[in-house]
């Protein structure tokens, strides 16, 4: 579960409760600040059937968080790039009606690695979004994206997570002692995803 980005979680929950969803969201932040985690949890929330989305327990949440929901299309960089062929295949799938959920969700991780052709192809979907589709993009910096893409998304600029929050998470969730939690928190410099991974793998420290 995402930690340290409460304002973003509150904003997304408010949009869900009031059924005022944007057709595209852009999660921006440092590498390993958990923007992809937050985007995936929001993808689960969009089709969650529980009382408090994302409940993490309903079939839709379990499938989404496990990478197996038929209505959640995920694009990851191939050989360091998001390619036009990937975007076009996503667009073909976006044109289909949802199989199981209310919405089709398209998650593009590391959009800043998209080729110019891929970014231009995506613009069509951002300008004329299909019905019942929500696009979720993640990137390390707005400056690395075409302004035309950024302007068509609701941008969530994720800030580095406070050191105290990282320490608390490492102690409570990862069983780290105070000294180790403080050390990892300092090295992490706000990147909570890095800190958690480091706590689980001493080889990263």
């Amino acid at each position: 579960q995402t930690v340290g980005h409460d304002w973003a979680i509150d904003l997304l929950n408010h949009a869900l409760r009031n059924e005022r969803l944007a057709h595209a969201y852009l999660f921006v932040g440092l590498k390993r600040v958990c923007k992809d985690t937050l985007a995936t949890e929001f993808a689960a929330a969009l089709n969650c059937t529980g009382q408090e989305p994302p409940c993490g327990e309903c079939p839709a949440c379990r499938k989404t968080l496990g990478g197996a929901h038929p209505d959640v299309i995920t694009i990851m960089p191939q050989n360091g790039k998001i390619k036009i062929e990937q975007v076009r295949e996503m667009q073909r799938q976006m044109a289909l009606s949802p199989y199981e959920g209310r919405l089709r969700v398209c998650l593009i991780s590391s959009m800043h690695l998209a080729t110019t052709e891929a970014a231009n192809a995506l613009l069509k979907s951002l300008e004329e979004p299909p019905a019942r589709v929500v696009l979720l993009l993640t990137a390390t910096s707005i400056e690395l994206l075409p302004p035309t893409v950024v302007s068509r998304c609701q941008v969530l600029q994720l800030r580095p997570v406070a050191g105290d929050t990282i320490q608390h998470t490492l102690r409570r969730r990862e069983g780290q002692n105070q000294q180790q939690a403080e050390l990892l928190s300092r090295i992490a410099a706000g990147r909570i995803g890095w800190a958690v991974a480091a706590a689980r793998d001493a080889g990263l420290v």
Side-chain angles (χ1 to χ4, degrees):
Q1 185 178 5
T2 299
V3 172
H5 301 300
D6 293 349
W7 69 270
I9 294 169
D10 289 345
L11 184 152
L12 296 171
N13 283 336
H14 182 76
L16 269 173
R17 284 194 301 269
N18 292 281
E19 297 186 348
R20 299 192 65 175
L21 295 170
H23 66 270
Y25 292 85
L26 172 59
F27 300 81
V28 182
L30 296 170
K31 187 177 181 182
R32 308 202 77 165
V33 80
C34 280
K35 55 189 176 296
D36 283 82
T37 301
L38 179 56
T40 301
E41 289 177 359
F42 187 47
L46 288 169
N47 282 317
C48 176
T49 57
Q51 292 295 316
E52 294 290 334
C55 69
E57 299 296 330
C58 71
C61 278
R62 290 201 302 270
K63 288 179 182 179
T64 301
L65 299 174
H69 198 296
D71 292 321
V72 179
I73 305 150
T74 302
I75 292 180
M76 306 287 287
Q78 292 181 353
N79 300 318
K81 292 291 181 184
I82 301 290
K83 301 175 182 178
I84 189 170
E85 294 82 7
Q86 294 174 278
V87 172
R88 285 178 174 161
E89 174 57 29
M90 180 198 76
Q91 289 169 327
R92 282 193 288 271
Q93 296 189 50
M94 286 167 63
L96 303 173
S97 297
Y99 289 112
E100 294 180 7
R102 294 186 306 121
L103 299 164
R104 301 215 94 187
V105 185
C106 301
L107 172 56
I108 303 180
S109 177
S110 303
M111 184 63 197
H112 57 282
L113 297 177
T115 65
T116 301
E117 293 80 9
N120 288 338
L122 182 65
L123 265 180
K124 181 171 177 59
S125 296
L126 292 172
E127 290 169 347
E128 302 173 18
R132 301 181 71 183
V133 171
V134 176
L135 277 159
L136 308 178
L137 316 178
T138 71
T140 56
S141 171
I142 286 177
E143 285 72 27
L144 296 175
L145 298 175
T148 47
V149 169
V150 176
S151 67
R152 287 164 175 80
C153 299
Q154 179 163 348
V155 179
L156 287 83
Q157 185 87 47
L158 303 183
R159 296 179 282 271
V161 177
D164 289 349
T165 301
I166 294 177
Q167 284 185 43
H168 179 72
T169 301
L170 293 178
R171 295 191 67 187
R172 182 168 56 90
R173 291 192 183 181
E174 304 302 324
Q176 300 290 296
N177 61 41
Q178 182 66 32
Q179 183 178 9
Q180 186 70 358
E182 287 179 359
L183 172 63
L184 291 176
S185 174
R186 284 200 303 273
I187 299 172
R191 300 169 298 151
I192 190 166
W194 182 91
V196 169
R200 296 174 182 176
D201 182 358
L204 289 178
V205 182

PDB file of all heavy atoms in Angstrom, residues 123-138:
ATOM      1  N   LEU A 123      -1.201  10.937 -28.296  1.00  0.00           N
ATOM      2  CA  LEU A 123      -1.952  12.192 -28.261  1.00  0.00           C
ATOM      3  C   LEU A 123      -3.385  12.021 -28.745  1.00  0.00           C
ATOM      4  O   LEU A 123      -4.304  12.647 -28.219  1.00  0.00           O
ATOM      5  CB  LEU A 123      -1.247  13.247 -29.116  1.00  0.00           C
ATOM      6  CG  LEU A 123      -0.304  14.204 -28.392  1.00  0.00           C
ATOM      7  CD1 LEU A 123       0.305  15.172 -29.384  1.00  0.00           C
ATOM      8  CD2 LEU A 123      -1.025  14.943 -27.281  1.00  0.00           C
ATOM      9  N   LYS A 124      -3.574  11.180 -29.758  1.00  0.00           N
ATOM     10  CA  LYS A 124      -4.927  10.973 -30.294  1.00  0.00           C
ATOM     11  C   LYS A 124      -5.864  10.446 -29.205  1.00  0.00           C
ATOM     12  O   LYS A 124      -7.008  10.884 -29.094  1.00  0.00           O
ATOM     13  CB  LYS A 124      -4.897  10.015 -31.482  1.00  0.00           C
ATOM     14  CG  LYS A 124      -6.268   9.771 -32.092  1.00  0.00           C
ATOM     15  CD  LYS A 124      -6.175   8.992 -33.383  1.00  0.00           C
ATOM     16  CE  LYS A 124      -7.556   8.683 -33.946  1.00  0.00           C
ATOM     17  NZ  LYS A 124      -8.344   9.904 -34.213  1.00  0.00           N
ATOM     18  N   SER A 125      -5.352   9.514 -28.388  1.00  0.00           N
ATOM     19  CA  SER A 125      -6.171   8.962 -27.311  1.00  0.00           C
ATOM     20  C   SER A 125      -6.412   9.981 -26.214  1.00  0.00           C
ATOM     21  O   SER A 125      -7.445   9.959 -25.547  1.00  0.00           O
ATOM     22  CB  SER A 125      -5.487   7.721 -26.719  1.00  0.00           C
ATOM     23  OG  SER A 125      -5.394   6.705 -27.692  1.00  0.00           O
ATOM     24  N   LEU A 126      -5.450  10.892 -26.004  1.00  0.00           N
ATOM     25  CA  LEU A 126      -5.623  11.922 -24.990  1.00  0.00           C
ATOM     26  C   LEU A 126      -6.583  13.009 -25.451  1.00  0.00           C
ATOM     27  O   LEU A 126      -7.320  13.582 -24.656  1.00  0.00           O
ATOM     28  CB  LEU A 126      -4.263  12.545 -24.644  1.00  0.00           C
ATOM     29  CG  LEU A 126      -3.277  11.632 -23.913  1.00  0.00           C
ATOM     30  CD1 LEU A 126      -1.909  12.305 -23.814  1.00  0.00           C
ATOM     31  CD2 LEU A 126      -3.784  11.266 -22.530  1.00  0.00           C
ATOM     32  N   GLU A 127      -6.566  13.289 -26.749  1.00  0.00           N
ATOM     33  CA  GLU A 127      -7.438  14.335 -27.291  1.00  0.00           C
ATOM     34  C   GLU A 127      -8.867  13.837 -27.483  1.00  0.00           C
ATOM     35  O   GLU A 127      -9.819  14.595 -27.308  1.00  0.00           O
ATOM     36  CB  GLU A 127      -6.879  14.818 -28.625  1.00  0.00           C
ATOM     37  CG  GLU A 127      -5.578  15.607 -28.487  1.00  0.00           C
ATOM     38  CD  GLU A 127      -4.900  15.847 -29.826  1.00  0.00           C
ATOM     39  OE1 GLU A 127      -5.301  15.200 -30.814  1.00  0.00           O
ATOM     40  OE2 GLU A 127      -3.980  16.682 -29.885  1.00  0.00           O
ATOM     41  N   GLU A 128      -9.024  12.572 -27.867  1.00  0.00           N
ATOM     42  CA  GLU A 128     -10.336  11.983 -28.100  1.00  0.00           C
ATOM     43  C   GLU A 128     -10.435  10.664 -27.332  1.00  0.00           C
ATOM     44  O   GLU A 128     -10.421   9.587 -27.923  1.00  0.00           O
ATOM     45  CB  GLU A 128     -10.552  11.739 -29.595  1.00  0.00           C
ATOM     46  CG  GLU A 128     -10.445  12.992 -30.437  1.00  0.00           C
ATOM     47  CD  GLU A 128     -10.495  12.683 -31.923  1.00  0.00           C
ATOM     48  OE1 GLU A 128     -10.937  11.572 -32.288  1.00  0.00           O
ATOM     49  OE2 GLU A 128     -10.082  13.546 -32.728  1.00  0.00           O
ATOM     50  N   PRO A 129     -10.499  10.746 -25.999  1.00  0.00           N
ATOM     51  CA  PRO A 129     -10.475   9.519 -25.198  1.00  0.00           C
ATOM     52  C   PRO A 129     -11.711   8.659 -25.434  1.00  0.00           C
ATOM     53  O   PRO A 129     -12.831   9.181 -25.485  1.00  0.00           O
ATOM     54  CB  PRO A 129     -10.446  10.045 -23.753  1.00  0.00           C
ATOM     55  CG  PRO A 129     -11.022  11.427 -23.840  1.00  0.00           C
ATOM     56  CD  PRO A 129     -10.617  11.963 -25.177  1.00  0.00           C
ATOM     57  N   PRO A 130     -11.518   7.358 -25.601  1.00  0.00           N
ATOM     58  CA  PRO A 130     -12.674   6.471 -25.744  1.00  0.00           C
ATOM     59  C   PRO A 130     -13.514   6.476 -24.471  1.00  0.00           C
ATOM     60  O   PRO A 130     -13.017   6.766 -23.377  1.00  0.00           O
ATOM     61  CB  PRO A 130     -12.030   5.088 -25.969  1.00  0.00           C
ATOM     62  CG  PRO A 130     -10.615   5.369 -26.339  1.00  0.00           C
ATOM     63  CD  PRO A 130     -10.246   6.639 -25.666  1.00  0.00           C
ATOM     64  N   ALA A 131     -14.776   6.166 -24.611  1.00  0.00           N
ATOM     65  CA  ALA A 131     -15.650   6.062 -23.442  1.00  0.00           C
ATOM     66  C   ALA A 131     -15.191   4.904 -22.558  1.00  0.00           C
ATOM     67  O   ALA A 131     -14.665   3.904 -23.043  1.00  0.00           O
ATOM     68  CB  ALA A 131     -17.094   5.841 -23.889  1.00  0.00           C
ATOM     69  N   ARG A 132     -15.379   5.062 -21.271  1.00  0.00           N
ATOM     70  CA  ARG A 132     -15.089   4.027 -20.286  1.00  0.00           C
ATOM     71  C   ARG A 132     -13.615   3.610 -20.284  1.00  0.00           C
ATOM     72  O   ARG A 132     -13.284   2.438 -20.063  1.00  0.00           O
ATOM     73  CB  ARG A 132     -15.999   2.815 -20.503  1.00  0.00           C
ATOM     74  CG  ARG A 132     -17.486   3.148 -20.407  1.00  0.00           C
ATOM     75  CD  ARG A 132     -18.372   1.943 -20.609  1.00  0.00           C
ATOM     76  NE  ARG A 132     -18.284   1.034 -19.468  1.00  0.00           N
ATOM     77  CZ  ARG A 132     -18.931  -0.141 -19.415  1.00  0.00           C
ATOM     78  NH1 ARG A 132     -19.673  -0.532 -20.433  1.00  0.00           N
ATOM     79  NH2 ARG A 132     -18.818  -0.906 -18.357  1.00  0.00           N
ATOM     80  N   VAL A 133     -12.740   4.562 -20.541  1.00  0.00           N
ATOM     81  CA  VAL A 133     -11.295   4.313 -20.491  1.00  0.00           C
ATOM     82  C   VAL A 133     -10.631   5.397 -19.649  1.00  0.00           C
ATOM     83  O   VAL A 133     -10.954   6.580 -19.791  1.00  0.00           O
ATOM     84  CB  VAL A 133     -10.668   4.302 -21.905  1.00  0.00           C
ATOM     85  CG1 VAL A 133      -9.141   4.275 -21.815  1.00  0.00           C
ATOM     86  CG2 VAL A 133     -11.157   3.099 -22.702  1.00  0.00           C
ATOM     87  N   VAL A 134      -9.723   4.989 -18.764  1.00  0.00           N
ATOM     88  CA  VAL A 134      -8.901   5.930 -18.007  1.00  0.00           C
ATOM     89  C   VAL A 134      -7.439   5.596 -18.275  1.00  0.00           C
ATOM     90  O   VAL A 134      -7.029   4.442 -18.171  1.00  0.00           O
ATOM     91  CB  VAL A 134      -9.188   5.859 -16.490  1.00  0.00           C
ATOM     92  CG1 VAL A 134      -8.238   6.782 -15.722  1.00  0.00           C
ATOM     93  CG2 VAL A 134     -10.635   6.245 -16.202  1.00  0.00           C
ATOM     94  N   LEU A 135      -6.676   6.621 -18.643  1.00  0.00           N
ATOM     95  CA  LEU A 135      -5.248   6.462 -18.908  1.00  0.00           C
ATOM     96  C   LEU A 135      -4.444   6.905 -17.687  1.00  0.00           C
ATOM     97  O   LEU A 135      -4.709   7.980 -17.120  1.00  0.00           O
ATOM     98  CB  LEU A 135      -4.830   7.319 -20.103  1.00  0.00           C
ATOM     99  CG  LEU A 135      -5.074   6.732 -21.485  1.00  0.00           C
ATOM    100  CD1 LEU A 135      -5.113   7.846 -22.520  1.00  0.00           C
ATOM    101  CD2 LEU A 135      -3.973   5.744 -21.835  1.00  0.00           C
ATOM    102  N   LEU A 136      -3.478   6.096 -17.287  1.00  0.00           N
ATOM    103  CA  LEU A 136      -2.596   6.427 -16.173  1.00  0.00           C
ATOM    104  C   LEU A 136      -1.158   6.382 -16.682  1.00  0.00           C
ATOM    105  O   LEU A 136      -0.692   5.347 -17.169  1.00  0.00           O
ATOM    106  CB  LEU A 136      -2.767   5.419 -15.022  1.00  0.00           C
ATOM    107  CG  LEU A 136      -4.201   5.166 -14.526  1.00  0.00           C
ATOM    108  CD1 LEU A 136      -4.199   4.122 -13.428  1.00  0.00           C
ATOM    109  CD2 LEU A 136      -4.850   6.454 -14.048  1.00  0.00           C
ATOM    110  N   LEU A 137      -0.469   7.508 -16.587  1.00  0.00           N
ATOM    111  CA  LEU A 137       0.917   7.596 -17.043  1.00  0.00           C
ATOM    112  C   LEU A 137       1.820   7.880 -15.851  1.00  0.00           C
ATOM    113  O   LEU A 137       1.427   8.592 -14.931  1.00  0.00           O
ATOM    114  CB  LEU A 137       1.091   8.712 -18.074  1.00  0.00           C
ATOM    115  CG  LEU A 137       0.051   8.864 -19.184  1.00  0.00           C
ATOM    116  CD1 LEU A 137       0.391  10.053 -20.070  1.00  0.00           C
ATOM    117  CD2 LEU A 137      -0.050   7.591 -20.002  1.00  0.00           C
ATOM    118  N   THR A 138       3.035   7.343 -15.876  1.00  0.00           N
ATOM    119  CA  THR A 138       4.018   7.706 -14.863  1.00  0.00           C
ATOM    120  C   THR A 138       5.275   8.220 -15.555  1.00  0.00           C
ATOM    121  O   THR A 138       5.602   7.799 -16.668  1.00  0.00           O
ATOM    122  CB  THR A 138       4.389   6.526 -13.938  1.00  0.00           C
ATOM    123  OG1 THR A 138       5.176   5.565 -14.659  1.00  0.00           O
ATOM    124  CG2 THR A 138       3.142   5.857 -13.380  1.00  0.00           C
TER     125      THR A 138
END
